[in-house]
Amino acid sequence: MIDGDTLITFSYGDGSYNYGYLHSDQFAFDSAGTIKVDDFPYCHTVDQYGSNDTAGLTGLSRGDYNFTSVGGKGPRLLNWMSYQGLVDSRVMAFYLTDPGSKSFIDFGAYDLSNTLGPYLEEDIPWIPVESQFFWAGSVQGFQVGDSATVNVNGENVPSAYAYSNPQEGFIFDTGTLLMYIPSSLYTSISELMIAQVPGLASDSYYGMMYGD
């Protein structure tokens, strides 16, 4: 158990942060405690900025805080599940479905029968992770829509753009409503998206796109 006397601060990419004390408790996936993680460390928040008074959040970032001896690269929750023998492999998979259907996450494995393919094991493109905290990689290009060209203001323009600046990257994040793109491609990408997505608009002053 953790005594709760250690002060910690979590900061996020959008500038928000949580400030509080390090505690530990039992983490359960259901009210009956059928699957549970014992002595799981967490931040007992006493002050927040920019996070809209979040009641509770269990992140699945790769984590760069070494709270205890249970560490290693990967999500802290998944590491603890592996340490306590709840999963055979430190692997997780998100399955995001259409609106109105149930999306879900697997811990310890992935099931290719739940993909749109169906795909085989050798069909999976593995992307190197380039951050110790985020699920991040390098941007190679963008394509908006399935067609080779898109009609933008009466002119057919390419729907795909290659991008090879090693300083620019992307983050896989199922918990955010924002997607950041390289500033040099913002105008081109926003015009392509607005031409194809009803209700989408651009705010050039703030450099943001938003929809209904």
Side-chain angles (χ1 to χ4, degrees):
M1 298 292 291
I2 298 174
D3 56 23
D5 292 331
T6 304
L7 288 170
I8 58 174
T9 301
F10 284 99
S11 60
Y12 301 94
D14 61 359
S16 61
Y17 70 81
N18 285 357
Y19 171 82
Y21 295 89
L22 182 61
H23 284 262
S24 64
D25 203 346
Q26 184 183 89
F27 181 95
F29 288 86
D30 60 0
S31 58
T34 306
I35 301 177
K36 59 186 179 181
V37 180
D38 294 323
D39 297 332
F40 182 69
Y42 70 97
C43 175
H44 180 190
T45 299
V46 296
D47 188 22
Q48 295 177 315
Y49 172 78
S51 53
N52 297 320
D53 295 327
T54 303
L57 180 66
T58 300
L60 290 173
S61 68
R62 289 169 57 78
D64 56 359
Y65 291 93
N66 186 19
F67 287 160
T68 67
S69 59
V70 180
K73 298 179 180 179
R76 189 170 299 105
L77 177 59
L78 194 57
N79 288 344
W80 276 75
M81 294 176 69
S82 176
Y83 174 71
Q84 297 183 13
L86 299 176
V87 295
D88 295 327
S89 178
R90 294 191 304 167
V91 174
M92 64 181 181
F94 292 94
Y95 304 96
L96 305 179
T97 60
D98 294 328
S101 301
K102 289 184 178 181
S103 298
F104 56 95
I105 179 174
D106 278 341
F107 290 98
Y110 53 88
D111 186 352
L112 294 180
S113 66
N114 292 317
T115 61
L116 293 177
Y119 294 104
L120 301 175
E121 187 75 28
E122 57 266 25
D123 296 327
I124 301 177
W126 295 99
I127 302 173
V129 177
E130 300 180 3
S131 169
Q132 292 300 316
F133 185 77
F134 296 107
W135 294 102
S138 296
V139 175
Q140 295 179 331
F142 289 91
Q143 179 167 348
V144 181
D146 298 327
S147 302
T149 61
V150 176
N151 188 294
V152 178
N153 299 323
E155 179 182 357
N156 288 329
V157 300
S159 64
Y161 289 85
Y163 196 79
S164 59
N165 186 342
Q167 301 301 318
E168 299 288 359
F170 67 89
I171 298 173
F172 287 110
D173 189 351
T174 61
T176 183
L177 299 178
L178 295 177
M179 179 179 68
Y180 294 94
I181 61 177
S183 57
S184 59
L185 293 180
Y186 172 77
T187 299
S188 299
I189 298 297
S190 62
E191 288 179 348
L192 287 171
M193 294 183 68
I194 290 172
Q196 298 182 81
V197 181
L200 192 65
S202 174
D203 187 330
S204 58
Y205 180 80
Y206 290 103
M208 297 180 63
M209 285 179 286
Y210 55 91
D212 296 334

